Amino acid sequence: MNLRSLARVIRDSKLYESVVSSTLYYRLHCLSDGASFMIAKLLRSSSGSIQSPSHIIMAPTGGGNIGDQALIEAAFRALKGNITVVGTTADSLTIPLADRDRVKFESASGFIYLPPVLRFGNALKLARLMSTARTFSVVGADLMDGAYNPGASLARSSALWLAAKHHIPSVLLGCSWANSAVGSCASALARAGRAGAQLNFRDATSQERALNQGIVTALLTSDIVFSDDTMDAQHGLSAFCKAARKEGRNVALVNASGLVAKKVPQTEEYVTIVNELLQNNFSVVLLPHVFRATGDDLEQCRTILEMFSPSTNVTLVDSMLPPSTIRSLCRDADLVITGRMHLAVMALGRGVVPITLGTHGKVEGLYRHFQGLDFYVDPQVGFGHEVAKLIPRAMKQNSEWKSSLPAVESLSKANFRLLTDTALPAQAS
């Protein structure tokens, strides 16, 4: 077993969560933050100002996740000027060609994943970088409540706290919050809010959960991907979609999530779903959204395709597409069925109804933004029949829900208001 595999085993253990949730761990976490801030402040006062300021964005994990790519591209689109991305590895996210002259990468892997005492040097490096920043933001997504990795969630809240202590605009961009949020993660985020960080939650359900856990500065916004409407004029499946239309068939985009597969066997569930679509005169695009060893969608979609080979009305996307192409596919589709929330977000943004399987409590609140729209399905055994029953209702859904879109897009852009209103870097005191 290599070190990365060992780290994953430790992270997934109950012991790890118990340690990170403990009062002692949280106190060490706060002590490390405070020490790194004070030393960075002293070093800045002795060395003076350095490089020209830039927006600093703490990126999501990436690594083959189209949703994470869509999140970082939405941030690039919203922010003007130079940007420094801090994240795990330089190749975990793709910098669009149009942004490569103004975006640079700094590793923050040690800061995000090491425990407080061991990451002190990394915290000091980040604090010094912040001391000359124009703004700082964390792409919150589903990374803040400890559902995946409580230690990394604590670190992201620490980063917001450090930026706020440096008196630069510090913003959490569009965060979800689960009912099962880790207590120390709630405490750390509340502390960042008290220090002056702006804490944006991407749906009313998440905001309510956060308020109930003592995060009293929780604000309501929406997912930042709603702020980006970039699309491709054409895409590789244009011919497939046009052929379906010529034959009088509708087009459905169907995603099978590797994350859902860890919870429930789903191949037969998707056979039920795709059969229902074919019987209702659809052509089907199997569309993976995450391409990586842990929770791979491509493997799931390939298995489903094999059950329908050699049907000409079912096809598979076997490579990772940019978010602009995904939006174009959604524009050309009539229905989306997905186990990944950001495919649902991009479908909604193009006015297409998604039926969405929920994981980690982050989907329930999405539909609350849209009046009269609720196609959330709990991924339990038998969900295929539940989805199949929803297909006719989704196709007959009236268009009144689309009247909510302008307000949702406005809430999405509100995530960036504090960052874009900042013309000059603030001075740390």
Side-chain angles (χ1 to χ4, degrees):
M1 181 181 291
N2 60 34
L3 286 176
R4 180 170 293 184
S5 299
L6 178 61
R8 187 174 293 118
V9 169
I10 293 171
R11 184 195 70 194
D12 292 341
S13 69
K14 292 293 183 184
L15 176 61
Y16 173 74
E17 184 172 327
S18 297
V19 169
V20 176
S21 302
S22 68
T23 301
L24 176 60
Y25 191 96
Y26 180 65
R27 286 177 177 170
L28 286 172
H29 164 86
C30 294
L31 182 64
S32 175
D33 292 346
S36 60
F37 167 70
M38 292 303 299
I39 294 175
K41 186 177 175 182
L42 289 170
L43 290 173
R44 178 185 169 121
S45 62
S46 64
S47 62
S49 181
I50 6 179
Q51 72 267 17
S52 60
S54 65
H55 298 286
I56 301 177
I57 306 171
M58 183 163 280
T61 308
N65 188 323
I66 295 174
D68 286 356
Q69 184 67 32
L71 286 162
I72 199 69
E73 288 188 18
F76 291 163
R77 187 170 172 82
L79 300 178
K80 308 301 179 187
N82 293 331
I83 295 173
T84 299
V85 174
V86 292
T88 50
T89 59
D91 60 354
S92 61
L93 294 161
T94 301
I95 309 302
L97 186 61
D99 296 305
R100 288 180 188 172
D101 289 340
R102 69 187 185 104
V103 176
K104 68 175 184 178
F105 176 83
E106 292 278 350
S107 175
S109 183
F111 177 84
I112 294 170
Y113 294 116
L114 289 175
V117 175
L118 296 181
R119 69 174 168 84
F120 176 76
N122 296 278
L124 178 58
K125 177 184 174 184
L126 182 61
R128 293 196 70 192
L129 184 64
M130 287 176 179
S131 69
T132 61
R134 180 175 173 179
T135 69
F136 179 80
S137 54
V138 171
V139 177
D142 52 5
L143 299 170
M144 304 303 296
D145 56 18
Y148 292 108
N149 185 335
S153 297
L154 284 173
R156 288 182 167 89
S157 291
S158 287
L160 288 163
W161 181 87
L162 283 168
K165 294 293 286 184
H166 277 295
H167 301 297
I168 61 172
S170 173
V171 177
L172 174 63
L173 299 171
C175 168
S176 286
W177 201 256
N179 263 331
S180 57
V182 176
S184 59
C185 295
S187 297
L189 195 55
R191 181 180 71 132
R194 290 193 300 271
Q198 184 180 99
L199 307 180
N200 297 317
F201 289 78
R202 62 186 176 184
D203 63 79
T205 300
S206 291
Q207 183 199 29
E208 290 161 6
R209 290 168 177 167
L211 289 169
N212 288 337
Q213 275 202 278
I215 304 174
V216 297
T217 58
L219 300 174
L220 176 62
T221 58
S222 67
D223 193 282
I224 63 174
V225 173
F226 281 115
S227 69
D228 191 353
D229 59 3
T230 309
M231 288 190 292
D232 298 338
Q234 295 287 327
H235 53 77
L237 286 167
S238 293
F240 180 86
C241 295
K242 287 176 181 176
R245 301 277 183 240
K246 191 173 180 180
E247 296 170 6
R249 303 177 72 85
N250 291 316
V251 175
L253 308 182
V254 176
N255 163 262
S257 163
L259 195 60
V260 171
K262 292 180 178 181
K263 183 176 181 181
V264 59
Q266 64 177 355
T267 300
E268 289 305 315
E269 309 288 357
Y270 273 95
V271 168
T272 298
I273 292 167
V274 174
N275 271 326
E276 182 70 16
L277 289 167
L278 294 175
Q279 289 166 19
N280 282 273
N281 208 33
F282 276 88
S283 288
V284 177
V285 178
L286 296 170
L287 183 61
H289 211 64
V290 172
F291 297 76
R292 61 184 178 209
T294 54
D296 181 45
D297 293 6
L298 181 57
E299 179 184 355
Q300 300 296 312
C301 290
R302 275 184 174 147
T303 301
I304 296 162
L305 180 68
E306 289 170 4
M307 308 298 285
F308 293 93
S309 182
S311 172
T312 58
N313 290 319
V314 183
T315 191
L316 169 69
V317 174
D318 61 3
S319 61
M320 184 170 165
L321 302 178
S324 57
T325 305
I326 299 295
R327 288 190 194 89
S328 300
L329 269 171
C330 289
R331 174 199 62 200
D332 295 340
D334 301 285
L335 178 68
V336 169
I337 298 170
T338 176
R340 298 289 183 177
M341 194 187 77
H342 272 109
L343 180 53
V345 168
M346 287 189 269
L348 289 162
R350 298 305 99 210
V352 176
V353 173
I355 299 171
T356 312
L357 304 176
T359 53
H360 291 301
K362 64 185 180 180
V363 172
E364 293 90 324
L366 174 63
Y367 288 106
R368 288 182 65 180
H369 283 296
F370 298 93
Q371 186 175 0
L373 199 67
D374 186 5
F375 288 91
Y376 163 77
V377 176
D378 189 17
Q380 302 291 337
V381 172
F383 76 77
H385 292 287
E386 182 68 24
V387 170
K389 286 190 293 185
L390 287 174
I391 290 170
R393 181 159 73 86
M395 292 303 294
K396 293 175 183 176
Q397 178 73 34
N398 64 45
S399 61
E400 288 180 10
W401 70 269
K402 297 179 187 178
S403 64
S404 304
L405 263 173
V408 175
E409 290 167 354
S410 180
L411 282 172
S412 179
K413 292 173 183 176
N415 282 284
F416 300 103
R417 198 160 292 144
L418 183 62
L419 305 175
T420 54
D421 286 349
T422 304
L424 294 171
Q427 296 298 314
S429 61

